[in-house]
Amino acid sequence: IEDEELHDDDTSVSMELLNEVGMAISAEPENFEINSKIARQLRNKRKMIETGAGIDWATAEALAFGTLMVEGTGVRLSGQDSGRGTFSHRHCVLIDQVNENRYFPLSYIRDGQAGFEVMDSPLSEAGVLGFEYGYSLADPHTLVLWEAQFGDFANGAQVIIDQFIVSGETKWLRMSGIVMLLPHGFEGQGPEHSSARPERFLQLCAEDNIQVVNITTPANYFHALRRQVRRNFRKPMIVMAPKSLLRHKLVVSKLGEMGPDTRFRRVLPETDRLVLDKDVRRVVLCSGKVYYDLLQARRDGDIKDVALVRLEQFYPWPRKTLYQQLSRYPNAEVLWCQEEPANMGGWFFVYPRLQAMFDKLDGVNKRPVYVGRKAAASPATGNNKVHVAEQAELVERALSGKIEDIPQPFVRSGY
Protein backbone atom coordinates (compact mmCIF):
# COMPACT_ATOMS: atom_id res chain seq x y z
CA ILE A 1 0.00 0.00 0.00
CA GLU A 2 1.35 3.40 -0.98
CA ASP A 3 2.70 5.81 1.65
CA GLU A 4 -0.10 8.33 1.17
CA GLU A 5 -2.77 5.75 1.88
CA LEU A 6 -1.06 4.64 5.08
CA HIS A 7 -1.90 8.06 6.53
CA ASP A 8 -5.59 7.11 6.46
CA ASP A 9 -7.00 5.58 9.61
CA ASP A 10 -8.14 1.97 9.52
CA THR A 11 -11.55 1.70 7.83
CA SER A 12 -11.71 -2.08 7.54
CA VAL A 13 -14.32 -4.18 9.33
CA SER A 14 -14.33 -7.77 10.53
CA MET A 15 -16.10 -10.26 8.29
CA GLU A 16 -18.35 -11.18 11.22
CA LEU A 17 -19.63 -7.62 11.54
CA LEU A 18 -20.09 -7.26 7.79
CA ASN A 19 -22.19 -10.41 7.75
CA GLU A 20 -24.21 -9.33 10.79
CA VAL A 21 -25.07 -5.98 9.22
CA GLY A 22 -25.69 -7.53 5.82
CA MET A 23 -28.15 -10.06 7.16
CA ALA A 24 -30.01 -7.38 9.12
CA ILE A 25 -30.45 -4.98 6.20
CA SER A 26 -31.63 -7.76 3.88
CA ALA A 27 -34.24 -9.22 6.22
CA GLU A 28 -37.94 -8.73 5.52
CA PRO A 29 -39.72 -7.28 8.58
CA GLU A 30 -42.35 -9.49 10.19
CA ASN A 31 -46.06 -8.66 9.85
CA PHE A 32 -45.22 -6.10 7.18
CA GLU A 33 -46.76 -5.95 3.70
CA ILE A 34 -43.71 -5.15 1.64
CA ASN A 35 -43.79 -4.24 -2.05
CA SER A 36 -42.98 -7.31 -4.16
CA LYS A 37 -40.21 -5.52 -6.08
CA ILE A 38 -38.56 -4.43 -2.84
CA ALA A 39 -38.85 -7.97 -1.48
CA ARG A 40 -36.99 -9.20 -4.54
CA GLN A 41 -34.29 -6.59 -3.95
CA LEU A 42 -33.89 -7.75 -0.37
CA ARG A 43 -33.52 -11.35 -1.51
CA ASN A 44 -30.84 -10.29 -3.99
CA LYS A 45 -29.08 -8.37 -1.24
CA ARG A 46 -29.20 -11.42 1.02
CA LYS A 47 -27.58 -13.48 -1.74
CA MET A 48 -24.76 -10.93 -2.04
CA ILE A 49 -24.01 -11.26 1.65
CA GLU A 50 -24.24 -15.05 1.70
CA THR A 51 -21.94 -15.47 -1.32
CA GLY A 52 -19.66 -12.55 -0.46
CA ALA A 53 -19.74 -11.44 -4.09
CA GLY A 54 -21.56 -8.97 -6.32
CA ILE A 55 -21.86 -6.23 -3.66
CA ASP A 56 -23.44 -3.27 -5.46
CA TRP A 57 -23.21 0.44 -4.66
CA ALA A 58 -26.31 0.69 -2.47
CA THR A 59 -25.38 -2.39 -0.45
CA ALA A 60 -21.84 -1.12 0.15
CA GLU A 61 -23.28 2.19 1.33
CA ALA A 62 -25.68 0.43 3.70
CA LEU A 63 -22.83 -1.70 5.04
CA ALA A 64 -20.80 1.45 5.71
CA PHE A 65 -23.72 3.07 7.52
CA GLY A 66 -24.59 -0.07 9.46
CA THR A 67 -21.07 -0.89 10.61
CA LEU A 68 -20.53 2.68 11.78
CA MET A 69 -23.78 2.61 13.74
CA VAL A 70 -22.92 -0.68 15.46
CA GLU A 71 -19.60 0.91 16.41
CA GLY A 72 -21.46 3.84 17.99
CA THR A 73 -21.39 6.43 15.20
CA GLY A 74 -24.73 7.93 14.17
CA VAL A 75 -25.64 8.51 10.51
CA ARG A 76 -27.78 11.36 9.18
CA LEU A 77 -28.78 11.59 5.50
CA SER A 78 -30.97 14.23 3.85
CA GLY A 79 -31.84 15.05 0.26
CA GLN A 80 -34.68 15.41 -2.21
CA ASP A 81 -35.39 11.67 -2.46
CA SER A 82 -32.91 10.10 -0.09
CA GLY A 83 -35.12 7.44 1.48
CA ARG A 84 -35.79 5.66 -1.79
CA GLY A 85 -32.79 7.08 -3.63
CA THR A 86 -33.30 9.19 -6.76
CA PHE A 87 -32.55 6.16 -8.91
CA SER A 88 -34.59 3.73 -6.80
CA HIS A 89 -31.45 2.06 -5.53
CA ARG A 90 -31.28 2.73 -1.79
CA HIS A 91 -34.66 1.88 -0.22
CA CYS A 92 -33.41 2.46 3.33
CA VAL A 93 -37.06 3.13 4.26
CA LEU A 94 -39.62 0.39 3.69
CA ILE A 95 -43.33 1.31 3.52
CA ASP A 96 -46.14 -1.07 4.37
CA GLN A 97 -48.40 -1.38 1.32
CA VAL A 98 -51.54 -1.56 3.49
CA ASN A 99 -51.18 0.94 6.34
CA GLU A 100 -48.16 2.98 5.12
CA ASN A 101 -46.15 2.31 8.27
CA ARG A 102 -42.44 2.95 7.82
CA TYR A 103 -39.61 0.58 8.67
CA PHE A 104 -35.89 1.44 8.72
CA PRO A 105 -33.79 -1.75 8.37
CA LEU A 106 -30.61 0.05 9.44
CA SER A 107 -32.20 0.88 12.79
CA TYR A 108 -32.59 -2.79 13.74
CA ILE A 109 -29.12 -4.30 13.51
CA ARG A 110 -28.18 -4.67 17.17
CA ASP A 111 -29.36 -3.40 20.56
CA GLY A 112 -27.46 -0.33 21.71
CA GLN A 113 -26.43 0.79 18.23
CA ALA A 114 -26.26 4.47 17.28
CA GLY A 115 -29.18 6.17 15.53
CA PHE A 116 -30.03 6.49 11.85
CA GLU A 117 -31.90 9.43 10.35
CA VAL A 118 -32.98 9.84 6.73
CA MET A 119 -35.10 12.75 5.52
CA ASP A 120 -36.65 13.60 2.17
CA SER A 121 -35.98 17.32 2.13
CA PRO A 122 -37.57 20.09 0.03
CA LEU A 123 -35.95 21.58 -3.06
CA SER A 124 -34.37 24.38 -1.04
CA GLU A 125 -30.76 23.39 -1.47
CA ALA A 126 -29.16 26.41 0.20
CA GLY A 127 -31.35 26.07 3.28
CA VAL A 128 -31.00 22.31 3.64
CA LEU A 129 -27.26 22.15 2.93
CA GLY A 130 -26.70 25.09 5.28
CA PHE A 131 -28.58 23.29 8.04
CA GLU A 132 -26.65 20.05 7.52
CA TYR A 133 -23.35 21.94 7.51
CA GLY A 134 -24.32 23.44 10.86
CA TYR A 135 -25.31 20.01 12.15
CA SER A 136 -21.89 18.63 11.17
CA LEU A 137 -20.23 21.37 13.22
CA ALA A 138 -22.43 20.77 16.25
CA ASP A 139 -22.01 16.98 16.16
CA PRO A 140 -18.69 16.02 14.55
CA HIS A 141 -19.09 12.41 15.72
CA THR A 142 -22.09 11.80 13.44
CA LEU A 143 -21.67 11.05 9.73
CA VAL A 144 -23.71 13.82 8.09
CA LEU A 145 -24.56 13.57 4.39
CA TRP A 146 -26.51 15.76 1.98
CA GLU A 147 -27.53 14.25 -1.34
CA ALA A 148 -28.52 16.23 -4.41
CA GLN A 149 -31.17 14.67 -6.62
CA PHE A 150 -28.79 15.35 -9.53
CA GLY A 151 -25.37 16.90 -9.11
CA ASP A 152 -26.32 20.17 -10.77
CA PHE A 153 -28.81 20.83 -7.95
CA ALA A 154 -25.81 21.98 -5.93
CA ASN A 155 -26.00 25.14 -8.05
CA GLY A 156 -28.76 26.35 -5.75
CA ALA A 157 -26.49 25.94 -2.74
CA GLN A 158 -23.35 27.54 -4.17
CA VAL A 159 -23.34 30.31 -1.57
CA ILE A 160 -23.16 27.71 1.23
CA ILE A 161 -20.34 25.90 -0.56
CA ASP A 162 -18.28 29.03 -1.20
CA GLN A 163 -18.84 30.85 2.07
CA PHE A 164 -18.84 27.94 4.51
CA ILE A 165 -17.94 24.45 3.33
CA VAL A 166 -14.68 25.17 1.50
CA SER A 167 -13.51 28.13 3.58
CA GLY A 168 -15.02 27.74 7.06
CA GLU A 169 -11.98 26.06 8.57
CA THR A 170 -9.65 28.84 7.40
CA LYS A 171 -12.00 31.66 8.40
CA TRP A 172 -13.31 30.36 11.71
CA LEU A 173 -11.15 27.34 12.62
CA ARG A 174 -14.26 25.14 12.50
CA MET A 175 -13.85 21.68 10.99
CA SER A 176 -16.74 19.97 9.21
CA GLY A 177 -16.99 16.37 8.03
CA ILE A 178 -20.09 16.90 5.89
CA VAL A 179 -20.42 14.68 2.82
CA MET A 180 -22.03 15.98 -0.38
CA LEU A 181 -23.31 13.24 -2.72
CA LEU A 182 -23.64 14.73 -6.21
CA PRO A 183 -24.84 12.31 -8.95
CA HIS A 184 -22.59 12.87 -11.96
CA GLY A 185 -22.04 11.22 -15.33
CA PHE A 186 -22.71 11.84 -19.03
CA GLU A 187 -25.44 9.44 -20.11
CA GLY A 188 -27.48 11.38 -22.65
CA GLN A 189 -29.85 12.91 -20.09
CA GLY A 190 -29.28 16.47 -21.27
CA PRO A 191 -27.42 19.47 -19.90
CA GLU A 192 -29.14 19.74 -16.53
CA HIS A 193 -28.70 16.15 -15.40
CA SER A 194 -25.18 15.32 -16.55
CA SER A 195 -22.69 17.34 -14.58
CA ALA A 196 -22.15 18.05 -10.88
CA ARG A 197 -19.67 20.70 -12.03
CA PRO A 198 -16.54 19.05 -10.58
CA GLU A 199 -14.43 21.86 -12.02
CA ARG A 200 -15.99 24.32 -9.56
CA PHE A 201 -15.01 22.24 -6.54
CA LEU A 202 -11.54 21.56 -7.91
CA GLN A 203 -10.95 25.28 -8.40
CA LEU A 204 -11.78 25.77 -4.71
CA CYS A 205 -9.23 23.19 -3.52
CA ALA A 206 -6.31 24.54 -1.50
CA GLU A 207 -4.60 24.02 1.84
CA ASP A 208 -6.20 20.58 2.26
CA ASN A 209 -9.58 22.25 2.77
CA ILE A 210 -11.84 19.61 1.18
CA GLN A 211 -11.74 16.16 -0.41
CA VAL A 212 -13.03 15.59 -3.95
CA VAL A 213 -13.57 11.99 -5.06
CA ASN A 214 -14.99 10.29 -8.14
CA ILE A 215 -15.17 6.68 -7.03
CA THR A 216 -15.66 3.65 -9.30
CA THR A 217 -16.11 0.69 -6.94
CA PRO A 218 -18.60 0.01 -4.12
CA ALA A 219 -15.79 -1.10 -1.79
CA ASN A 220 -13.89 2.16 -2.27
CA TYR A 221 -17.09 4.08 -1.53
CA PHE A 222 -17.54 2.02 1.64
CA HIS A 223 -14.07 2.97 2.83
CA ALA A 224 -14.45 6.64 1.86
CA LEU A 225 -17.58 6.95 4.00
CA ARG A 226 -16.01 5.24 7.00
CA ARG A 227 -12.83 7.30 6.61
CA GLN A 228 -14.87 10.46 7.20
CA VAL A 229 -15.44 9.65 10.87
CA ARG A 230 -12.58 7.27 11.61
CA ARG A 231 -9.96 9.99 11.22
CA ASN A 232 -9.08 12.21 14.16
CA PHE A 233 -9.94 15.31 12.11
CA ARG A 234 -12.79 16.40 9.86
CA LYS A 235 -12.79 17.61 6.25
CA PRO A 236 -15.80 18.01 3.92
CA MET A 237 -15.97 15.38 1.18
CA ILE A 238 -17.46 16.04 -2.25
CA VAL A 239 -18.52 12.80 -3.96
CA MET A 240 -19.16 12.72 -7.69
CA ALA A 241 -21.73 9.97 -7.20
CA PRO A 242 -22.82 7.48 -9.88
CA LYS A 243 -26.10 7.11 -11.75
CA SER A 244 -26.01 4.26 -14.30
CA LEU A 245 -23.15 2.65 -12.37
CA LEU A 246 -25.55 1.93 -9.52
CA ARG A 247 -26.70 -1.13 -11.48
CA HIS A 248 -23.80 -1.69 -13.85
CA LYS A 249 -22.84 -5.38 -14.00
CA LEU A 250 -19.14 -4.56 -13.60
CA VAL A 251 -19.58 -2.14 -10.69
CA VAL A 252 -19.54 -4.69 -7.92
CA SER A 253 -17.14 -5.59 -5.12
CA LYS A 254 -16.41 -8.61 -2.96
CA LEU A 255 -17.36 -8.50 0.68
CA GLY A 256 -13.74 -9.24 1.53
CA GLU A 257 -12.71 -5.92 -0.04
CA MET A 258 -14.31 -4.25 2.98
CA GLY A 259 -12.85 -6.73 5.45
CA PRO A 260 -9.51 -6.90 7.28
CA ASP A 261 -6.42 -5.33 5.70
CA THR A 262 -8.41 -3.20 3.23
CA ARG A 263 -8.74 0.57 2.95
CA PHE A 264 -9.62 3.43 0.62
CA ARG A 265 -7.53 3.47 -2.57
CA ARG A 266 -6.82 6.92 -4.01
CA VAL A 267 -5.62 5.46 -7.30
CA LEU A 268 -6.77 2.14 -8.76
CA PRO A 269 -4.33 0.32 -11.06
CA GLU A 270 -4.91 -1.78 -14.13
CA THR A 271 -6.91 -4.92 -13.34
CA ASP A 272 -6.96 -6.89 -16.61
CA ARG A 273 -4.23 -9.18 -17.90
CA LEU A 274 -2.26 -7.19 -20.49
CA VAL A 275 1.16 -7.36 -22.15
CA LEU A 276 4.24 -6.83 -19.98
CA ASP A 277 4.41 -3.37 -18.41
CA LYS A 278 7.41 -2.42 -20.56
CA ASP A 279 5.40 -3.26 -23.70
CA VAL A 280 2.34 -1.17 -22.83
CA ARG A 281 2.17 1.55 -25.47
CA ARG A 282 -0.39 3.83 -23.79
CA VAL A 283 -1.73 4.62 -20.34
CA VAL A 284 -5.16 6.23 -20.21
CA LEU A 285 -5.67 8.06 -16.93
CA CYS A 286 -9.32 8.71 -16.12
CA SER A 287 -11.82 9.11 -13.29
CA GLY A 288 -15.38 7.97 -12.72
CA LYS A 289 -17.91 6.46 -15.12
CA VAL A 290 -15.88 6.91 -18.32
CA TYR A 291 -13.56 4.17 -17.05
CA TYR A 292 -16.23 1.55 -17.69
CA ASP A 293 -16.86 2.84 -21.22
CA LEU A 294 -13.12 2.59 -21.89
CA LEU A 295 -12.89 -0.83 -20.27
CA GLN A 296 -15.77 -2.27 -22.30
CA ALA A 297 -14.42 -0.89 -25.57
CA ARG A 298 -10.94 -2.20 -24.84
CA ARG A 299 -12.27 -5.68 -24.08
CA ASP A 300 -14.51 -5.65 -27.15
CA GLY A 301 -11.53 -4.66 -29.31
CA ASP A 302 -9.21 -7.18 -27.59
CA ILE A 303 -6.68 -4.41 -26.98
CA LYS A 304 -3.87 -5.67 -24.74
CA ASP A 305 -1.33 -2.82 -24.83
CA VAL A 306 -3.40 0.03 -23.33
CA ALA A 307 -3.53 0.31 -19.54
CA LEU A 308 -6.33 2.09 -17.68
CA VAL A 309 -5.47 3.86 -14.41
CA ARG A 310 -8.25 5.35 -12.29
CA LEU A 311 -7.92 8.54 -10.29
CA GLU A 312 -10.37 7.90 -7.45
CA GLN A 313 -9.45 11.02 -5.46
CA PHE A 314 -8.71 14.32 -7.15
CA TYR A 315 -7.91 16.22 -4.00
CA PRO A 316 -5.83 16.01 -1.93
CA TRP A 317 -3.82 15.11 -5.03
CA PRO A 318 -2.35 11.58 -4.69
CA ARG A 319 1.04 12.53 -6.11
CA LYS A 320 3.15 9.65 -4.81
CA THR A 321 0.56 6.99 -5.49
CA LEU A 322 -0.09 8.14 -9.05
CA TYR A 323 3.62 8.54 -9.77
CA GLN A 324 4.21 4.93 -8.71
CA GLN A 325 1.52 3.71 -11.10
CA LEU A 326 2.66 5.75 -14.09
CA SER A 327 6.30 4.82 -13.55
CA ARG A 328 5.37 1.16 -14.13
CA TYR A 329 5.04 1.89 -17.86
CA PRO A 330 8.34 3.45 -19.03
CA ASN A 331 7.58 3.19 -22.77
CA ALA A 332 3.95 4.31 -22.73
CA GLU A 333 2.23 7.48 -23.85
CA VAL A 334 0.09 8.99 -21.09
CA LEU A 335 -3.33 10.52 -21.87
CA TRP A 336 -6.00 12.09 -19.70
CA CYS A 337 -9.53 11.07 -20.74
CA GLN A 338 -12.75 12.64 -19.47
CA GLU A 339 -16.39 12.85 -20.53
CA GLU A 340 -16.81 16.51 -19.67
CA PRO A 341 -16.01 19.37 -22.08
CA ALA A 342 -12.40 20.57 -22.01
CA ASN A 343 -13.24 23.69 -19.98
CA MET A 344 -15.01 21.55 -17.36
CA GLY A 345 -14.29 18.34 -15.46
CA GLY A 346 -10.80 17.60 -14.19
CA TRP A 347 -8.58 18.71 -17.10
CA PHE A 348 -7.58 22.16 -15.86
CA PHE A 349 -6.90 20.70 -12.41
CA VAL A 350 -4.86 17.66 -13.44
CA TYR A 351 -2.86 19.28 -16.25
CA PRO A 352 -0.28 21.24 -14.18
CA ARG A 353 0.00 18.42 -11.65
CA LEU A 354 0.60 15.84 -14.34
CA GLN A 355 3.08 18.14 -16.05
CA ALA A 356 5.13 18.37 -12.86
CA MET A 357 5.07 14.57 -12.74
CA PHE A 358 6.07 14.22 -16.40
CA ASP A 359 9.20 16.30 -15.80
CA LYS A 360 10.40 13.47 -13.53
CA LEU A 361 8.98 10.48 -15.38
CA ASP A 362 10.94 11.00 -18.61
CA GLY A 363 8.16 9.25 -20.52
CA VAL A 364 7.29 9.11 -24.21
CA ASN A 365 5.22 12.29 -24.32
CA LYS A 366 6.58 15.32 -22.49
CA ARG A 367 3.22 16.87 -21.69
CA PRO A 368 -0.23 15.48 -20.87
CA VAL A 369 -2.54 14.80 -23.80
CA TYR A 370 -6.25 15.57 -23.47
CA VAL A 371 -9.01 13.32 -24.80
CA GLY A 372 -12.62 14.38 -24.32
CA ARG A 373 -15.29 16.72 -25.56
CA LYS A 374 -14.33 20.10 -26.93
CA ALA A 375 -14.90 23.19 -24.80
CA ALA A 376 -18.56 24.12 -24.52
CA ALA A 377 -20.84 26.66 -22.86
CA SER A 378 -23.38 23.99 -21.86
CA PRO A 379 -22.35 20.98 -19.78
CA ALA A 380 -23.82 18.50 -22.27
CA THR A 381 -25.85 18.13 -25.43
CA GLY A 382 -29.60 17.68 -25.20
CA ASN A 383 -29.65 15.23 -28.10
CA ASN A 384 -29.09 11.59 -27.16
CA LYS A 385 -27.82 10.60 -30.61
CA VAL A 386 -25.21 13.36 -30.47
CA HIS A 387 -24.23 12.23 -26.98
CA VAL A 388 -23.73 8.63 -28.11
CA ALA A 389 -21.62 9.74 -31.08
CA GLU A 390 -19.49 12.03 -28.90
CA GLN A 391 -18.95 9.30 -26.33
CA ALA A 392 -17.95 6.72 -28.92
CA GLU A 393 -15.53 9.17 -30.52
CA LEU A 394 -13.72 10.08 -27.31
CA VAL A 395 -13.40 6.42 -26.29
CA GLU A 396 -12.00 5.52 -29.72
CA ARG A 397 -9.49 8.37 -29.59
CA ALA A 398 -8.39 7.43 -26.08
CA LEU A 399 -7.70 3.81 -26.98
CA SER A 400 -6.55 3.98 -30.59
CA GLY A 401 -6.08 7.54 -31.82
CA LYS A 402 -2.62 8.78 -32.73
CA ILE A 403 -1.46 11.49 -30.37
CA GLU A 404 -0.59 13.87 -33.19
CA ASP A 405 -4.13 13.53 -34.57
CA ILE A 406 -5.98 14.16 -31.29
CA PRO A 407 -7.18 17.79 -31.19
CA GLN A 408 -5.88 19.56 -28.09
CA PRO A 409 -8.12 22.09 -26.32
CA PHE A 410 -7.48 25.77 -26.96
CA VAL A 411 -4.82 24.98 -29.60
CA ARG A 412 -6.90 24.48 -32.73
CA SER A 413 -9.89 26.60 -33.59
CA GLY A 414 -13.08 25.47 -31.86
CA TYR A 415 -11.42 23.71 -28.94
Side-chain angles (χ1 to χ4, degrees):
I1 298 174
E2 294 78 0
D3 291 342
E4 290 168 318
E5 294 174 2
L6 288 173
H7 290 303
D8 290 337
D9 287 358
D10 185 15
T11 55
S12 65
V13 177
S14 70
M15 296 305 296
E16 291 77 14
L17 181 54
L18 286 168
N19 278 285
E20 178 186 356
V21 173
M23 297 302 278
I25 62 176
S26 61
E28 292 188 34
E30 296 180 0
N31 302 317
F32 197 90
E33 293 293 332
I34 194 170
N35 182 282
S36 59
K37 293 181 179 179
I38 307 304
R40 185 166 62 249
Q41 284 192 19
L42 292 178
R43 289 192 293 271
N44 291 338
K45 201 178 295 287
R46 175 64 61 95
K47 185 178 180 181
M48 296 175 197
I49 302 302
E50 291 174 343
T51 62
I55 307 295
D56 61 15
W57 197 271
T59 303
E61 179 187 76
L63 288 170
F65 290 170
T67 53
L68 285 172
M69 291 159 57
V70 169
E71 294 167 349
T73 298
V75 176
R76 175 184 173 90
L77 170 66
S78 68
Q80 284 82 18
D81 201 3
S82 292
R84 182 195 66 166
T86 295
F87 309 100
S88 299
H89 65 286
R90 182 176 291 124
H91 292 292
C92 60
V93 182
L94 307 182
I95 299 176
D96 191 299
Q97 300 298 287
V98 176
N99 55 29
E100 297 188 5
N101 286 341
R102 294 157 70 86
Y103 179 84
F104 301 81
L106 282 165
S107 297
Y108 298 94
I109 301 170
R110 182 192 294 182
D111 290 341
Q113 69 176 65
F116 175 65
E117 295 180 281
V118 59
M119 290 140 291
D120 294 336
S121 59
L123 290 171
S124 301
E125 288 82 6
V128 177
L129 181 58
F131 184 89
E132 300 303 334
Y133 171 75
Y135 197 104
S136 72
L137 298 181
D139 188 359
H141 297 293
T142 290
L143 177 63
V144 180
L145 309 97
W146 175 75
E147 181 178 55
Q149 199 162 53
F150 284 85
D152 62 283
F153 282 37
N155 288 339
Q158 199 66 46
V159 64
I160 301 297
I161 296 165
D162 291 346
Q163 300 286 14
F164 296 93
I165 290 178
V166 303
S167 58
E169 183 180 350
T170 295
K171 293 193 288 190
W172 305 302
L173 303 179
R174 298 299 305 275
M175 284 188 169
S176 167
I178 191 168
V179 177
M180 295 178 59
L181 303 178
L182 308 179
H184 174 79
F186 283 57
E187 292 151 348
Q189 293 180 297
E192 310 311 335
H193 289 332
S194 292
S195 182
R197 296 287 194 174
E199 64 279 357
R200 294 182 179 174
F201 296 97
L202 295 175
Q203 187 181 37
L204 295 168
C205 291
E207 301 178 308
D208 290 336
N209 60 336
I210 60 174
Q211 305 157 96
V212 181
V213 298
N214 194 6
I215 298 169
T216 58
T217 73
N220 228 17
Y221 180 48
F222 168 91
H223 288 294
L225 291 175
R226 287 182 52 83
R227 185 178 69 167
Q228 277 301 96
V229 286
R230 286 294 164 261
R231 286 171 159 171
N232 62 358
F233 60 88
R234 299 290 179 264
K235 298 285 183 179
M237 182 168 69
I238 317 301
V239 181
M240 299 295 126
K243 296 184 292 184
S244 64
L245 299 190
L246 294 169
R247 294 182 178 83
H248 197 290
K249 63 181 180 180
L250 297 179
V251 186
V252 292
S253 297
K254 296 178 181 178
L255 197 62
E257 293 177 85
M258 306 167 211
D261 301 320
T262 61
R263 64 179 65 236
F264 179 73
R265 306 303 303 273
R266 304 179 186 205
V267 176
L268 288 179
E270 176 57 60
T271 57
D272 283 2
R273 186 183 296 274
L274 304 178
V275 297
L276 296 175
D277 288 354
K278 65 181 180 65
D279 296 324
V280 169
R281 67 174 175 85
R282 174 172 295 179
V283 175
V284 180
L285 181 62
C286 59
S287 188
K289 168 191 158 286
V290 73
Y291 165 74
Y292 290 100
D293 295 331
L294 293 165
L295 179 66
Q296 190 63 56
R298 188 184 66 180
R299 289 176 175 176
D300 291 345
D302 196 29
I303 300 172
K304 299 294 186 180
D305 58 355
V306 176
L308 303 177
V309 177
R310 283 169 277 176
L311 186 63
E312 298 282 285
Q313 177 175 295
F314 278 99
Y315 191 79
W317 177 249
R319 179 177 58 86
K320 292 180 181 179
T321 312
L322 186 56
Y323 183 86
Q324 289 172 354
Q325 286 300 320
L326 295 182
S327 62
R328 289 176 50 188
Y329 308 103
N331 301 312
E333 309 162 335
V334 179
L335 283 65
W336 169 259
C337 181
Q338 68 178 38
E339 299 181 298
E340 302 88 353
N343 57 322
M344 304 177 195
W347 173 239
F348 278 177
F349 181 83
V350 304
Y351 178 83
R353 291 164 174 81
L354 288 178
Q355 185 62 65
M357 203 172 290
F358 278 28
D359 293 340
K360 297 180 179 180
L361 278 171
D362 194 30
V364 174
N365 51 314
K366 300 304 180 182
R367 63 179 57 191
V369 174
Y370 168 84
V371 179
R373 289 174 168 82
K374 65 181 183 180
S378 173
T381 177
N383 186 302
N384 187 64
K385 289 184 178 180
V386 173
H387 159 79
V388 171
E390 290 176 346
Q391 199 78 358
E393 181 183 30
L394 72 88
V395 168
E396 168 65 21
R397 281 178 172 170
L399 296 177
S400 305
K402 294 182 179 179
I403 279 186
E404 57 269 24
D405 295 334
I406 300 175
Q408 292 304 288
F410 317 114
V411 175
R412 299 182 183 180
S413 176
Y415 289 90

